[in-house]
Amino acid sequence: MHTGEETHQPWLDPAAPVGERVASLLAAMTLEEKTAQLYGVWIGVEPSGADVAPHQHEFADESLDFDELVTAGLGQLTRPFGTAPVDPAEGAKALARMQADIRAAGRHGVPALVHEECLTGFMTWGATVYPTPLAWGATFNPALVAAMAGQIAAGMRRVGVHQGLAPVLDVTRDPRWGRTEETIGEDPYLVATLGTAYVRGLREGGVIPTLKHFAGYAASAAGRNFAPVSIGPRELADVVLPPFEMAIRDGGADSVMHAYTEIDGLPTAADRSLLTELLRDAWGFTGTVVSDYFGVSFLELLHGVAASPSQAAALALAAGVDVELPTVRCYGGPLASAVREGLIGESAVDLAVERVLRQKIELGLLDPDATDLPDGAIDLDPPEARDTAAHLAEESVILLANDGILPLAAPARIAVIGPVADDPAAMLGCYAFPSHVGREHAAQDGGDTGRPYSVDLGVDIPDVLTALRGELPAADIAHAKGTGVDDHDTAGFAEATALAASADVCVAVLGDRSGLFGRGTSGEGCDRADLRLPGAQLELLDALLATGTPVVLVLLTGRPYALGAHASRVAAVVQAFFPGEEGANAVAGVLSGRVNPSGRLPVSVPRGPGGQPSTYLSPMLGRRTDVSAVDPTPLFPFGHGLSYTAFTWEDARASAAETGTDGSVEVSVTVTNTGDRTGAEVVQLYLHDPVAQVTRPVVRLIGHAKAELVPGERRTVTFGVHADLSSFTGRDGRRVVEPGSLELRLGRSAADIASTVAVRLDGDLRVVGHDRHLSSTVTWT
């Protein structure tokens, strides 16, 4: 037991150097005490009920004796706030008491590190629900994402949470994948810059960010969750890995979570070349690698590369996985047995424990006041957080098409039709607390409210119908669902079309229901066979269009859906990717004109539901050709988005026509708001490499800049572009910068290029590494 006499030992002395504290504590530990630092425990998870983690019901262990377990210590506590609804203040006090008990139970006074999900905000009851990462991508605004992350971190640290399992840095490769809503987009540079901004915000708030899922998870075959990944080393290096590299080097990320998937037959949890040789040896990462939930056990049970928990533990630890989450199965007794049986050396355990202890000490967990009880009520959805959620939501809404009907000119009669128009759940991704956990507890509480939840959501989440009525109080607004999200029920078509026919304008609000493991149309484990809107929603749209009333299509989804010929028949299309608790107000504001839309597509919108996977990052033969009957040209390209004002771009130029393969140039363009209202323009800089030693994408993003301009305002944006940004993985597997001609294209989207500036790189071919320039600089004057 830990006693007051031991407070003089070096690891409990805040004034001692961190390295000395780690070394002295490690030297005092038994093997069992060491392995105890390498796993988490999930209190409150049950074997019955709907899973919130894959195969959760198979691993939940109600017989676990927590009091006995923690006598050896404990590495992590899993989701004390994200497993069931809990009042923040009461939860914080209970957690502080539990931490005090953990410190007292062991010989060394070491508390647990506490982790929670935080992808769309701190995932707990009563906390702000921000837009999904796909909506972050639509903002093209790293500073706003960083501000959001800082607010998330503040709430987490206030209640005693130390690590957040975000951001997701998977690059969208196939939007049929259910977790597309969790990605930032289909371009690695956009994912890298916004993901790194999130990392900085979380770290500045005192919370350890966890990069996931390392690596290749989003490239699973046919967009199926957990399916094998068959990408080549060049796609891995040039598309999948750059966001992680930037977030570690430029963002300072402290933790990485391995992916569930296998790449070319090797599960990432057992891949030393990825988790150690690349991540640590090449990139210099010094933080912890944690398993995705049950990922170590899956080496035995799903991948079949281990015959027992001991073998799985030895494989994962040797590869570089430091901590088993969410609860102990392989890294406790089985890992200790693996050491004693010679499957792995104790030195590998020591190395992982050193990393864990260093993080705990640097976080202050071994300091005397580490488990002080918090005082007073705790508001996890304060006004400043709602303001940021609103700002982020407004900047994320994308106006895809508009024949002039928007903004709505105060029509007298509006028919609001669709299955998600009056549903607050349509604002939420699968990692929002009400979607992820609240639905299960609502079902347990019973009662039929006609909504997905029968318990308090914890925060105020308006729906689009309510928000639009507030936005246009003088309008006569009627509503009908028409159909369900995915039930193929057409019985409500007659009521819906009658309302539409009698209205001046019809607002059709269609989309997804986010959920987990098949309990939704988007979200983890909710993959799609194609990109057709779920259920009978397209048939409903056809019926509404047949009335002759102008139809404004609003999409509340977790992925892009194919609109085909419907896009040319509707009067306008507004896209929002699960925009969070203030999302309905943002959408209604765009419809009314209070908000001038500035969102841009972080993913391409396909024309047809098949032909996947396809993103804009393709070489010439990945585009439309005369030798294939399949045309992958998107309906709306990456980066596309309209505004209610107009902008002109002029005087595009480069500071030099030539530079060395180790040099840089500045590229600038002047943007003027020539419209009659304030609006934000997004300038996108693309690289085109006409001749290279391997095939290259026709264009790829290497810079982006966003600025708000008042009518008549004129500003110049300048990008500083180093030659390293043209680098790619060459024929021999090394990253190179080649001499030759390049085109720097300034565009409103990947397909709408306003100006092209030619630049030539002179000199020798350069081999570059992790110390290369990863991003362009941006200056507005």
Side-chain angles (χ1 to χ4, degrees):
M1 300 290 289
H2 172 60
T3 69
E5 296 177 358
E6 294 164 335
T7 57
H8 299 294
Q9 294 178 335
W11 59 84
L12 297 176
D13 180 5
V18 171
E20 290 183 11
R21 297 173 73 183
V22 171
S24 63
L25 179 52
L26 184 65
M29 285 180 161
T30 66
L31 176 60
E32 281 71 22
E33 288 171 336
K34 291 174 185 177
T35 60
Q37 293 298 316
L38 303 184
Y39 54 73
V41 170
W42 197 353
I43 304 297
V45 67
E46 298 177 355
S48 60
D51 284 359
V52 297
H55 296 268
Q56 165 197 320
H57 62 283
E58 299 174 20
F59 295 107
D61 185 0
E62 292 183 308
S63 67
L64 186 145
D65 187 336
F66 181 80
D67 292 338
E68 174 63 26
L69 185 75
V70 297
T71 59
L74 181 62
Q76 295 212 11
L77 278 169
T78 293
R79 288 170 54 169
F81 291 91
T83 301
V86 58
D87 175 81
E90 293 304 313
K93 292 176 183 177
L95 177 58
R97 288 191 293 267
M98 183 179 290
Q99 288 280 42
D101 290 344
I102 293 170
R103 293 189 71 158
R107 296 192 305 129
H108 308 300
V110 181
L113 188 148
V114 181
H115 78 258
E116 291 284 354
E117 299 285 357
C118 59
L119 189 63
T120 60
F122 181 12
M123 199 190 76
T124 189
W125 183 85
T128 304
V129 182
Y130 296 91
T132 55
L134 203 57
W136 311 349
T139 70
F140 277 69
N141 190 336
L144 190 54
V145 171
M148 172 195 68
Q151 291 175 342
I152 293 170
M156 295 173 77
R157 279 313 298 260
R158 189 173 181 197
V159 298
V161 177
H162 315 109
Q163 181 168 1
L165 302 188
V168 170
L169 297 184
D170 297 294
V171 178
T172 303
R173 302 304 286 159
D174 187 335
R176 294 176 298 179
W177 190 46
R179 303 190 78 166
T180 295
E181 65 175 64
E182 300 178 48
T183 71
I184 295 171
E186 71 183 36
D187 179 87
Y189 187 86
L190 183 67
V191 175
T193 52
L194 271 68
T196 299
Y198 181 96
V199 165
R200 288 180 178 136
L202 216 63
R203 292 187 82 241
E204 289 172 3
V207 171
I208 293 174
T210 307
L211 312 182
K212 57 187 194 180
H213 308 84
F214 193 72
Y217 189 25
S220 56
R224 293 178 58 246
N225 199 34
F226 276 52
V229 174
S230 301
I231 60 176
R234 187 166 289 104
E235 182 178 350
L236 180 69
D238 291 351
V239 177
V240 173
L241 294 178
F244 294 93
E245 187 176 13
M246 185 185 290
I248 289 168
R249 200 197 73 181
D250 294 352
D254 311 280
S255 190
V256 170
M257 174 181 281
H258 77 72
Y260 284 128
T261 44
E262 63 182 69
I263 300 177
D264 194 26
L266 182 58
T268 56
D271 189 349
R272 182 174 177 81
S273 67
L274 186 67
L275 299 181
T276 296
E277 293 170 12
L278 174 70
L279 183 63
R280 297 192 184 280
D281 299 343
W283 290 1
F285 177 68
T286 59
T288 56
V289 174
V290 301
S291 77
D292 205 341
Y293 280 18
F294 311 115
V296 178
S297 290
F298 290 161
L299 293 176
E300 174 196 0
L301 302 175
L302 297 184
H303 294 296
V305 296
S308 67
S310 287
Q311 287 188 12
L315 275 176
L317 190 64
V321 179
D322 299 310
V323 179
E324 179 185 20
L325 297 180
T327 198
V328 57
R329 181 177 178 270
C330 301
Y331 270 24
L335 177 56
S337 297
V339 172
R340 293 191 172 100
E341 294 167 8
L343 294 177
I344 192 166
E346 189 169 352
S347 60
V349 174
D350 290 348
L351 194 59
V353 176
E354 283 179 10
R355 295 169 186 146
V356 170
L357 295 179
R358 178 172 293 275
Q359 283 192 340
K360 289 188 175 185
I361 290 170
E362 289 176 343
L363 286 166
L365 299 192
L366 272 68
D367 296 349
D369 60 350
T371 55
D372 285 351
L373 288 173
D375 294 323
I378 297 175
D379 184 3
L380 295 178
D381 188 33
E384 60 271 22
R386 290 199 73 98
D387 288 346
T388 300
H391 191 180
L392 197 64
E394 289 174 357
E395 289 205 21
S396 75
V397 177
I398 310 162
L399 181 61
L400 294 180
N402 185 19
D403 69 0
I405 195 171
L406 294 181
L408 295 173
R413 296 169 300 171
I414 304 175
V416 178
I417 308 297
V420 296
D422 67 339
D423 188 355
M427 303 298 116
L428 311 178
C430 73
Y431 272 79
F433 184 84
S435 300
H436 198 90
V437 178
R439 189 169 295 167
E440 173 67 10
H441 287 274
Q444 292 174 7
D445 286 357
D448 183 6
T449 64
R451 295 191 183 277
Y453 316 113
S454 57
V455 295
D456 182 5
L457 291 173
V459 292
D460 180 31
I461 306 175
D463 55 58
V464 169
L465 177 64
T466 301
L468 193 58
R469 283 174 170 158
E471 198 76 34
L472 300 172
D476 178 9
I477 299 178
H479 168 251
K481 284 186 177 294
T483 188
V485 170
D486 60 347
D487 58 13
H488 295 277
D489 184 2
T490 61
F493 278 25
E495 178 191 8
T497 54
L499 282 180
S502 64
D504 300 315
V505 63
C506 172
V507 177
V509 188
L510 310 180
D512 277 318
R513 181 184 65 258
S514 191
L516 296 168
F517 307 112
R519 303 192 296 274
T521 60
S522 175
E524 185 173 359
C526 298
D527 314 312
R528 305 293 296 175
D530 60 31
L531 294 179
R532 178 184 171 89
L533 270 169
Q537 293 186 78
L538 277 182
E539 288 81 355
L540 174 63
L541 181 58
D542 279 326
L544 297 174
L545 288 166
T547 66
T549 298
V551 175
V552 174
L553 174 60
V554 174
L555 293 167
L556 302 173
T557 68
R559 60 167 64 83
Y561 281 105
L563 301 179
H566 293 88
S568 62
R569 298 167 60 200
V570 296
V573 183
V574 174
Q575 171 72 64
F577 294 113
F578 292 143
E581 65 181 34
E582 287 288 339
N585 291 327
V587 169
V590 167
L591 295 177
S592 72
R594 175 180 58 82
V595 174
N596 190 352
S598 64
R600 302 293 186 266
L601 279 173
V603 285
S604 307
V605 173
R607 190 174 302 275
Q612 294 301 315
S614 179
T615 76
Y616 94 98
L617 284 175
S618 59
M620 285 187 285
L621 288 177
R623 299 195 169 197
R624 184 184 182 278
T625 69
D626 294 333
V627 295
S628 173
V630 177
D631 181 1
T633 304
L635 181 65
F636 297 111
F638 173 87
H640 171 75
L642 304 178
S643 172
Y644 291 149
T645 192
F647 300 94
T648 60
W649 296 16
E650 302 171 299
D651 197 24
R653 62 178 66 187
S655 59
E658 298 180 0
T659 190
T661 52
D662 60 351
S664 60
V665 297
E666 292 186 342
V667 179
S668 60
V669 66
T670 299
V671 180
T672 305
N673 183 345
T674 57
D676 59 3
R677 61 178 296 171
T678 298
E681 180 67 307
V682 179
V683 179
Q684 301 158 47
L685 179 64
Y686 294 90
L687 174 74
H688 171 64
D689 189 350
V691 179
Q693 59 180 264
V694 296
T695 62
R696 303 294 299 134
V698 176
V699 292
R700 62 181 178 90
L701 189 72
I702 60 168
H704 56 84
K706 186 173 189 175
E708 186 174 82
L709 284 74
V710 301
E713 186 176 6
R714 176 186 177 94
R715 297 185 68 186
T716 298
V717 60
T718 301
F719 296 95
V721 181
H722 195 276
D724 289 355
L725 292 176
S726 71
S727 68
F728 58 89
T729 303
R731 292 181 184 178
D732 62 1
R734 297 182 300 170
R735 180 173 289 277
V736 297
V737 176
E738 281 190 319
S741 297
L742 301 173
E743 291 182 4
L744 301 178
R745 299 179 176 181
L746 294 153
R748 297 179 179 89
S749 74
D752 183 3
I753 303 300
S755 300
T756 298
V757 177
V759 174
R760 180 171 180 80
L761 301 183
D762 294 325
D764 297 330
L765 179 144
R766 288 177 58 235
V767 176
V768 296
H770 182 57
D771 59 348
R772 71 190 185 280
H773 291 78
L774 299 178
S775 59
S776 58
T777 61
V778 176
T779 306
W780 284 95
T781 54

